[in-house]
Amino acid sequence: MTSKEEWIELLLKDKDSFNTQKAGKELDLSEVELSVSDLADADLSNIDFSGANFSESSIVNVDFSNCDLTSADFSRCKIEECNFSNCILNGTNFSYATLNFCNFNEADMAGCVLCEAELTDSDFATSENLSACRFDEGTIWPDTEKLPEDFDSTYNYDLSSLQDEEEGSSNNDFEY
């Protein structure tokens, strides 16, 4: 049996061998460390990468389809031409990342963090739960035809509702 560390070493040193040896296997590479890596032309589909750290990596032409990327960290990554279709992206952090020409069709985006992310030319048209992701005024969205029909990409941070909640919660509101 190959360890997580051995799989990661193979991925980083010999992608062709990794792709060949991985074929047909369901791998658990949860919580692996891949930050500041150069990943290109790899088949990483059907892998559990939950809690994995890809931060500050360059990721080009990688197939992540059908992966569990729950709480994975892709912050400050440069990601191009990657396939995230059918992925679980709950709590995945793409803050300050650049994602160009990526496929997010049928991906579950609930809780995904897209603050200050550049999403130019990526396809979210059939992604699920995009309205349950976190983003801010610095998030750069693709054209509307690449977003779900009911998605509103305008950022509205309502300070007045927060003030109302804070003012309404005093110690006098508790019952003993």
Side-chain angles (χ1 to χ4, degrees):
M1 182 173 166
T2 308
S3 71
K4 287 182 185 183
E5 292 78 17
E6 291 169 326
W7 278 112
I8 296 306
E9 184 177 340
L10 187 60
L11 172 62
L12 295 174
K13 292 186 178 186
D14 188 355
K15 288 177 191 72
D16 291 333
S17 291
F18 175 89
N19 290 341
T20 302
Q21 290 184 35
K22 176 208 160 286
K25 293 184 175 88
E26 289 189 24
L27 299 179
D28 177 1
L29 298 180
S30 57
E31 300 182 6
V32 294
E33 179 62 45
L34 284 162
S35 62
V36 196
S37 296
D38 185 12
L39 300 174
D41 305 316
D43 178 6
L44 302 182
S45 61
N46 300 301
I47 297 177
D48 179 356
F49 277 117
S50 56
N53 183 3
F54 294 91
S55 64
E56 300 184 27
S57 293
S58 175
I59 305 170
V60 179
N61 195 33
V62 173
D63 184 4
F64 285 103
S65 62
N66 301 301
C67 283
D68 182 350
L69 293 164
T70 301
S71 299
D73 185 359
F74 287 91
S75 61
R76 301 187 190 283
C77 284
K78 180 181 178 189
I79 304 171
E80 294 182 358
E81 298 178 9
C82 291
N83 184 5
F84 290 95
S85 63
N86 295 301
C87 282
I88 301 170
L89 297 168
N90 304 149
T92 303
N93 185 2
F94 288 104
S95 295
Y96 302 96
T98 301
L99 297 106
N100 289 314
F101 302 102
C102 294
N103 175 4
F104 287 89
N105 288 316
E106 305 299 325
D108 185 354
M109 307 290 293
C112 186
V113 181
L114 300 168
C115 295
E116 300 286 328
E118 182 183 333
L119 310 170
T120 309
D121 295 314
S122 288
D123 189 354
F124 295 88
T126 61
S127 64
E128 299 172 4
N129 301 313
L130 190 60
S131 59
C133 74
R134 290 184 11 213
F135 61 94
D136 59 14
E137 67 278 353
T139 304
I140 302 171
W141 293 98
D143 293 335
T144 55
E145 67 269 3
K146 293 185 178 183
L147 295 171
E149 287 182 25
D150 61 343
F151 180 68
D152 181 7
S153 63
T154 56
Y155 178 73
N156 292 316
Y157 185 72
D158 187 3
L159 286 174
S160 63
S161 67
L162 289 176
Q163 288 174 333
D164 292 344
E165 288 176 18
E166 288 174 6
E167 289 170 6
S169 63
S170 68
N171 289 338
N172 297 336
D173 292 341
F174 294 109
E175 292 184 25
Y176 297 96

Short mmCIF file of all heavy atoms in Angstrom, two decimals, residues 165-176:
data_model
loop_
_atom_site.label_atom_id
_atom_site.label_comp_id
_atom_site.label_asym_id
_atom_site.label_seq_id
_atom_site.Cartn_x
_atom_site.Cartn_y
_atom_site.Cartn_z
N GLU A 165 -28.88 44.25 14.91
CA GLU A 165 -28.71 43.03 15.69
C GLU A 165 -27.92 43.31 16.97
O GLU A 165 -28.26 42.82 18.04
CB GLU A 165 -27.98 41.96 14.86
CG GLU A 165 -28.83 41.37 13.77
CD GLU A 165 -28.05 40.38 12.90
OE1 GLU A 165 -26.98 39.92 13.35
OE2 GLU A 165 -28.51 40.11 11.80
N GLU A 166 -26.84 44.12 16.86
CA GLU A 166 -26.02 44.42 18.02
C GLU A 166 -26.80 45.24 19.05
O GLU A 166 -26.72 45.01 20.24
CB GLU A 166 -24.75 45.16 17.60
CG GLU A 166 -23.76 44.27 16.89
CD GLU A 166 -22.56 45.05 16.36
OE1 GLU A 166 -22.45 46.25 16.65
OE2 GLU A 166 -21.75 44.44 15.65
N GLU A 167 -27.59 46.22 18.57
CA GLU A 167 -28.35 47.06 19.48
C GLU A 167 -29.45 46.26 20.17
O GLU A 167 -29.78 46.49 21.31
CB GLU A 167 -28.97 48.24 18.72
CG GLU A 167 -27.94 49.26 18.28
CD GLU A 167 -28.50 50.29 17.32
OE1 GLU A 167 -29.72 50.30 17.08
OE2 GLU A 167 -27.71 51.09 16.81
N GLY A 168 -30.00 45.28 19.50
CA GLY A 168 -31.09 44.48 20.05
C GLY A 168 -30.62 43.42 21.02
O GLY A 168 -31.41 42.81 21.71
N SER A 169 -29.35 43.17 21.07
CA SER A 169 -28.86 42.10 21.96
C SER A 169 -28.18 42.71 23.18
O SER A 169 -26.98 42.85 23.25
CB SER A 169 -27.89 41.19 21.21
OG SER A 169 -26.76 41.91 20.81
N SER A 170 -28.96 43.07 24.13
CA SER A 170 -28.40 43.57 25.39
C SER A 170 -28.63 42.52 26.46
O SER A 170 -29.40 41.59 26.30
CB SER A 170 -29.06 44.89 25.79
OG SER A 170 -30.41 44.68 26.13
N ASN A 171 -27.98 42.70 27.59
CA ASN A 171 -28.14 41.74 28.69
C ASN A 171 -29.56 41.73 29.23
O ASN A 171 -29.94 40.79 29.89
CB ASN A 171 -27.14 42.07 29.82
CG ASN A 171 -25.73 41.75 29.41
OD1 ASN A 171 -25.51 40.93 28.51
ND2 ASN A 171 -24.76 42.37 30.07
N ASN A 172 -30.33 42.76 28.96
CA ASN A 172 -31.71 42.83 29.46
C ASN A 172 -32.62 41.89 28.68
O ASN A 172 -33.75 41.68 29.11
CB ASN A 172 -32.23 44.27 29.35
CG ASN A 172 -31.44 45.23 30.21
OD1 ASN A 172 -30.83 44.82 31.19
ND2 ASN A 172 -31.45 46.51 29.82
N ASP A 173 -32.17 41.34 27.59
CA ASP A 173 -33.02 40.47 26.78
C ASP A 173 -33.07 39.04 27.33
O ASP A 173 -33.89 38.25 26.89
CB ASP A 173 -32.50 40.42 25.33
CG ASP A 173 -32.68 41.75 24.62
OD1 ASP A 173 -33.48 42.57 25.10
OD2 ASP A 173 -31.99 41.95 23.59
N PHE A 174 -32.23 38.70 28.25
CA PHE A 174 -32.19 37.33 28.77
C PHE A 174 -33.25 37.14 29.83
O PHE A 174 -33.51 38.00 30.66
CB PHE A 174 -30.81 37.01 29.36
CG PHE A 174 -29.72 36.98 28.32
CD1 PHE A 174 -28.77 38.00 28.28
CD2 PHE A 174 -29.66 35.97 27.39
CE1 PHE A 174 -27.77 37.99 27.34
CE2 PHE A 174 -28.65 35.96 26.45
CZ PHE A 174 -27.72 36.97 26.41
N GLU A 175 -33.87 35.95 29.80
CA GLU A 175 -34.84 35.60 30.83
C GLU A 175 -34.18 34.64 31.80
O GLU A 175 -33.44 33.77 31.42
CB GLU A 175 -36.07 34.95 30.20
CG GLU A 175 -36.88 35.93 29.35
CD GLU A 175 -38.13 35.28 28.82
OE1 GLU A 175 -38.61 34.32 29.41
OE2 GLU A 175 -38.60 35.76 27.79
N TYR A 176 -34.49 34.81 33.07
CA TYR A 176 -33.93 33.94 34.10
C TYR A 176 -34.97 33.03 34.68
O TYR A 176 -36.09 33.29 34.81
CB TYR A 176 -33.29 34.78 35.22
CG TYR A 176 -32.13 35.61 34.72
CD1 TYR A 176 -32.30 36.93 34.35
CD2 TYR A 176 -30.87 35.03 34.62
CE1 TYR A 176 -31.22 37.67 33.89
CE2 TYR A 176 -29.79 35.80 34.16
CZ TYR A 176 -30.00 37.10 33.81
OH TYR A 176 -28.93 37.85 33.37
#
